[in-house]
């Protein structure tokens, strides 16, 4: 109810701003003329997008249709793969259009929608990784009580909360920048960014900065603290447990740690780009850093989990062989 009251307030505020000029489109300044390589760049980006779609869809289908994979860990992984599709789809279709276009513009409504998709993707990703770490903590530290502690109802609640909170939070975030009167329309990136819009504002942006900083602090610190706590407990059990316990921990936690490290690097790139002046950095490197956040985790996660988790690897292999036959 609180979120809807806030949304209603800003909708009314926007309608009352009849004397202010609203920007109808934005221009991306980070693109550069690739000349004859335009279509090659388009094909490379299209290939990456199709690879992300196919690899994540494959694992989602494998988990959903195979009853032996209807376990909490695989349900959490399925949520993670769905988020990879969601985040990459928030970037690639518009990116592909911009690569082929000579004028790199986007409508204001499409820009705000992309901001919502990109930022909610990042928050859902971190929460999913935190939930997976909690699941591994229960499986390793309380193996005999795992089934009673991680029930189907609890799985549904954890997945729902990992999606619901970010979506609601970023509805508010976007509603804070929609009514702003802007003094420019140039974004120095290859996709729309919250702080780029805030920097263009003629209005006072204290509320937007406070909300963004508060949400970033809580949205990052809470999942990170949970992940640190669970892995401290897992390490204690591994050092004091048997060799079999250590092997189980390594086999199930290695892909999660690799995924977490990859996402952390990507998130750091995005935060640095958003908060600091990057004009001294070469344009190609800036574009790479911008795209890393929405390209590498969606590419990396299905590969690392598909290869490291034997149940998924064997099921995928059998499915591909059956389709081929």
């Amino acid at each position: 109810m609180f979120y809807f009251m806030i949304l209603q307030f800003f909708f009314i505020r926007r309608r009352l701003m009849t004397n202010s000029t609203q920007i109808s489109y934005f221009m991306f300044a980070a693109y550069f003329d690739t000349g004859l390589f335009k279509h090659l760049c388009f094909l490379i980006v299209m290939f990456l997008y199709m690879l992300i779609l196919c690899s994540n869809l494959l694992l989602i289908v494998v988990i959903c249709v195979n009853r032996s994979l209807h376990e909490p860990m695989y349900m959490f992984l399925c949520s993670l793969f769905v988020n990879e599709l969601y985040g990459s789809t928030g970037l690639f279709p518009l990116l592909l259009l911009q690569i082929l276009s000579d004028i790199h513009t986007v409508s204001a409504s499409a820009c705000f929608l992309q901001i919502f998709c990109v930022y909610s993707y990042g928050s859902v990703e971190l929460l999913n990784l935190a939930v997976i770490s909690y699941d591994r903590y229960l499986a390793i530290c309380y193996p005999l009580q795992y089934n009673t502690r991680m029930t189907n109802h609890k799985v549904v609640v954890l997945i729902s909360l990992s999606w619901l909170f970010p979506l609601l939070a970023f509805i508010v975030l976007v509603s804070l920048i929609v009514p702003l009167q802007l003094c420019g329309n140039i974004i120095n990136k290859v996709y729309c960014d919250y702080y780029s819009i805030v920097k263009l504002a003629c209005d006072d942006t204290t509320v937007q900065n406070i909300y963004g900083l508060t949400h970033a602090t809580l949205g990052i610190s809470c999942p990170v603290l949970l992940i640190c706590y669970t892995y401290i407990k897992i390490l204690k059990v591994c050092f004091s447990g048997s060799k079999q316990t250590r092997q189980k921990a390594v086999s199930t936690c290695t892909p999660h740690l690799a995924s977490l490290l990859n996402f952390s690097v990507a998130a750091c790139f995005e935060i640095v780009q958003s908060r600091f002046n990057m004009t001294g950095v070469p344009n190609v490197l800036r574009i790479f850093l911008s795209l890393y956040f929405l390209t590498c985790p969606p590419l990396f996660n299905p590969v690392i989990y598909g290869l490291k988790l034997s149940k998924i690897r064997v099921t995928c292999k059998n499915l591909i062989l059956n389709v081929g036959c």
Side-chain angles (χ1 to χ4, degrees):
M1 188 67 182
F2 172 72
Y3 287 110
F4 289 110
M5 289 175 64
I6 294 176
L7 286 173
Q8 186 178 17
F9 167 76
F10 284 107
F11 178 73
I12 294 171
R13 180 189 166 189
R14 188 186 182 191
R15 293 192 64 182
L16 292 174
M17 294 174 63
T18 55
N19 295 327
S20 63
T21 302
Q22 294 293 320
I23 298 294
S24 60
Y25 69 94
F26 295 96
M27 296 184 64
F28 296 118
Y31 288 94
F32 59 93
D33 184 19
T34 53
L36 298 175
F37 296 101
K38 178 191 294 185
H39 293 91
L40 177 61
C41 293
F42 176 85
L43 290 175
I44 291 172
V45 174
M46 175 63 82
F47 173 76
L48 289 175
Y49 184 41
M50 295 306 297
L51 192 60
I52 290 171
L53 290 180
C54 292
S55 58
N56 284 282
L57 278 174
L58 173 64
L59 294 189
I60 291 170
V61 170
V62 164
I63 292 172
C64 289
V65 301
N66 196 307
R67 296 187 67 85
S68 66
L69 297 179
H70 291 181
E71 299 175 9
M73 180 178 73
Y74 299 107
M75 291 297 101
F76 295 138
L77 288 178
C78 188
S79 174
L80 185 71
F81 299 143
V82 170
N83 188 49
E84 310 298 5
L85 293 178
Y86 168 67
S88 57
T89 302
L91 168 72
F92 280 96
L94 182 59
L95 181 65
L96 290 167
L97 288 175
Q98 295 297 326
I99 290 173
L100 290 180
S101 176
D102 294 324
I103 303 174
H104 306 293
T105 61
V106 61
S107 67
S109 57
C111 187
F112 294 136
L113 177 61
Q114 187 174 59
I115 290 171
F116 173 78
C117 292
V118 168
Y119 279 79
S120 57
Y121 151 79
S123 188
V124 171
E125 187 87 351
L126 185 56
L127 284 173
N128 271 317
L129 291 172
V131 168
I132 293 172
S133 70
Y134 174 67
D135 175 72
R136 293 300 82 207
Y137 156 71
L138 292 181
I140 294 168
C141 298
Y142 302 96
L144 300 179
Q145 305 171 36
Y146 177 75
N147 290 329
T148 58
R149 286 174 175 250
M150 187 58 74
T151 61
N152 291 334
H153 175 72
K154 195 171 187 178
V155 171
V156 173
V157 170
L158 288 172
I159 292 176
S160 299
L161 291 178
S162 67
W163 281 87
L164 185 62
F165 282 157
L167 294 180
L168 289 176
F170 285 105
I171 286 175
V172 178
L173 188 83
V174 173
S175 72
L176 287 172
I177 60 173
V178 168
L180 286 174
Q181 183 180 3
L182 305 179
C183 295
N185 66 342
I186 297 177
I187 298 175
N188 293 312
K189 295 187 71 171
V190 294
Y191 61 87
C192 293
D193 171 71
Y194 175 77
Y195 288 106
S196 295
I197 304 297
V198 172
K199 291 173 186 176
L200 294 173
C202 303
D203 297 340
D204 177 49
T205 58
T206 302
V207 174
Q208 287 79 3
N209 284 318
I210 290 175
Y211 182 86
L213 187 60
T214 302
H215 181 270
T217 302
L218 294 176
I220 294 173
S221 61
C222 293
V224 168
L225 287 174
L226 175 61
I227 292 169
C228 291
Y229 172 80
T230 56
Y231 272 101
I232 288 171
K233 292 292 186 180
I234 289 171
L235 286 173
K236 288 177 67 176
V237 169
C238 289
F239 283 125
S240 60
S242 63
K243 182 180 179 181
Q244 184 180 2
T245 302
R246 287 194 293 272
Q247 289 176 341
K248 179 184 177 181
V250 170
S251 63
T252 60
C253 292
T254 298
H256 177 256
L257 285 172
S259 179
L260 183 62
L261 178 62
N262 185 44
F263 177 74
S264 299
V265 172
C268 287
F269 284 164
E270 178 61 21
I271 292 170
V272 168
Q273 281 226 99
S274 298
R275 288 294 187 175
F276 298 97
N277 185 2
M278 302 288 287
T279 53
V281 179
N283 200 30
V284 175
L285 181 58
R286 284 164 56 193
I287 292 174
F288 171 77
L289 295 179
S290 294
L291 297 179
Y292 189 97
F293 179 66
L294 289 155
T295 303
C296 289
L299 275 174
F300 180 82
N301 286 339
V303 173
I304 190 67
Y305 285 108
L307 291 176
K308 291 296 292 182
L309 298 182
S310 58
K311 274 190 175 183
I312 292 181
R313 185 175 66 249
V314 172
T315 307
C316 285
K317 182 179 179 181
N318 293 335
L319 179 65
I320 293 172
L321 290 175
N322 290 334
V323 172
C325 294

